[in-house]
C-alpha cells in the first residue's frame, strides 16, 4: 500500500462515522426535533385558542354593545313615558286647582251677597225704626222744627254707626 494508506481502516472509520451519526441522529436529533415540533404544535394550538378567545370576546363585546344600546333606548322610552305621566298629572292638578279656586270664589261671592243682603235688611230695619220713631215724635210732638232736627241727628248717628 502506497503511502501507507489502508483501505480497510478508512472503511472502518467511515463505518464508525456512519454509526456515530446514526446513533446521534437516533439519540439526540430525533427526540429534540420531535420535542421542538411538539412545542411548535402546542404554540400553534395556544395561538389558535387565543385567536378563538379574542373572536369570542369581540362577539361578546358586540352583543354587550347592542344590548347596552337597547337598554339605553328602553331607558329613554321609560323617561319619555314618565315625563308624559308627570305632565298629565300636572295638568290634572292644575285643572283641580282651578276648579277649587272657582268653588272658593263662588262661595266667597255667595257669602258676600248674603252679607250684603243682611246689611241691607239691617239698614232697612234701622231706617224703618228711625222712620217709625220720627213719625211717632211728629204725631206726639207738634213741634216740627225740633222733631225734624232730632230726626236728622238720629239718621246721622245711625249712618256713623254703620260705617
Amino acid at each position: 500500500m502506497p503511502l501507507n494508506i489502508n483501505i480497510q481502516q478508512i472503511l472502518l472509520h467511515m463505518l464508525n462515522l456512519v454509526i456515530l451519526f446514526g446513533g446521534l441522529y437516533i439519540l439526540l436529533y430525533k427526540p429534540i426535533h420531535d420535542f421542538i415540533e411538539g412545542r411548535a404544535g402546542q404554540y400553534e394550538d395556544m395561538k389558535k385558542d387565543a385567536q378563538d378567545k379574542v373572536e369570542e370576546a369581540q362577539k361578546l363585546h358586540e352583543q354587550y354593545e347592542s344590548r347596552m344600546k337597547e337598554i339605553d333606548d328602553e331607558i329613554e322610552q321609560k323617561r319619555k313615558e314618565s315625563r308624559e305621566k308627570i305632565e298629565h298629572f300636572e295638568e290634572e292638578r292644575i285643572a283641580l286647582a282651578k276648579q277649587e279656586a272657582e268653588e272658593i270664589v263662588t262661595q266667597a261671592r255667595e257669602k258676600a251677597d248674603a252679607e250684603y243682603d243682611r246689611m241691607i235688611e239691617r239698614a232697612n230695619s234701622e231706617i224703618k225704626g228711625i222712620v217709625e220713631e220720627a213719625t211717632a215724635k211728629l204725631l206726639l210732638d207738634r213741634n216740627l222744627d225740633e222733631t225734624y232736627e232730632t230726626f236728622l241727628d238720629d239718621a246721622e248717628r245711625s249712618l256713623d254707626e254703620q260705617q
Side-chain angles (χ1 to χ4, degrees):
M1 312 227 171
L3 294 173
N4 219 3
I5 296 179
N6 189 353
I7 296 233
Q8 185 180 9
Q9 277 201 346
I10 291 177
L11 288 174
L12 278 176
H13 282 301
M14 285 174 61
L15 179 66
N16 280 339
L17 192 61
V18 168
I19 291 173
L20 179 66
F21 279 122
L24 287 177
Y25 177 79
I26 291 172
L27 292 177
L28 293 178
Y29 180 76
K30 188 169 181 182
I32 291 174
H33 185 270
D34 291 343
F35 177 77
I36 290 173
E37 287 292 321
R39 247 332 150 90
Q42 285 179 345
Y43 288 133
E44 285 295 320
D45 291 343
M46 288 172 53
K47 183 178 177 181
K48 185 177 179 182
D49 288 343
Q51 286 176 346
D52 291 344
K53 287 181 181 179
V54 166
E55 288 174 3
E56 185 179 333
Q58 287 175 344
K59 287 179 185 176
L60 283 175
H61 180 72
E62 290 171 3
Q63 288 175 352
Y64 289 140
E65 287 292 322
S66 66
R67 181 68 182 139
M68 290 297 288
K69 186 172 180 358
E70 290 173 5
I71 290 172
D72 287 342
D73 293 343
E74 186 177 327
I75 289 171
E76 189 60 35
Q77 181 67 28
K78 297 255 185 208
R79 283 182 183 165
K80 186 178 178 182
E81 290 173 3
S82 296
R83 283 187 207 120
E84 289 174 358
K85 285 181 183 177
I86 289 171
E87 289 173 1
H88 181 68
F89 180 73
E90 287 175 349
E91 290 172 0
E92 287 179 354
R93 293 293 294 168
I94 288 171
L96 183 64
K98 284 181 181 179
Q99 184 180 2
E100 288 176 0
E102 288 176 5
E103 290 175 2
I104 290 170
V105 168
T106 303
Q107 289 175 356
R109 283 187 181 146
E110 289 173 357
K111 286 182 182 178
D113 289 343
E115 182 68 22
Y116 176 75
D117 290 343
R118 192 177 58 80
M119 288 174 65
I120 293 293
E121 188 177 310
R122 191 169 25 148
N124 283 339
S125 67
E126 287 179 10
I127 289 173
K128 189 191 239 183
I130 292 172
V131 169
E132 286 175 358
E133 213 178 289
T135 306
K137 284 185 181 182
L138 274 176
L139 292 176
L140 293 176
D141 290 338
R142 298 282 178 177
N143 188 355
L144 290 176
D145 287 336
E146 196 176 300
T147 306
Y148 183 67
E149 287 296 323
T150 306
F151 172 72
L152 289 177
D153 289 340
D154 288 343
E156 279 183 25
R157 258 187 271 126
S158 69
L159 283 175
D160 287 340
E161 287 175 6
Q162 284 180 358
Q163 293 177 351

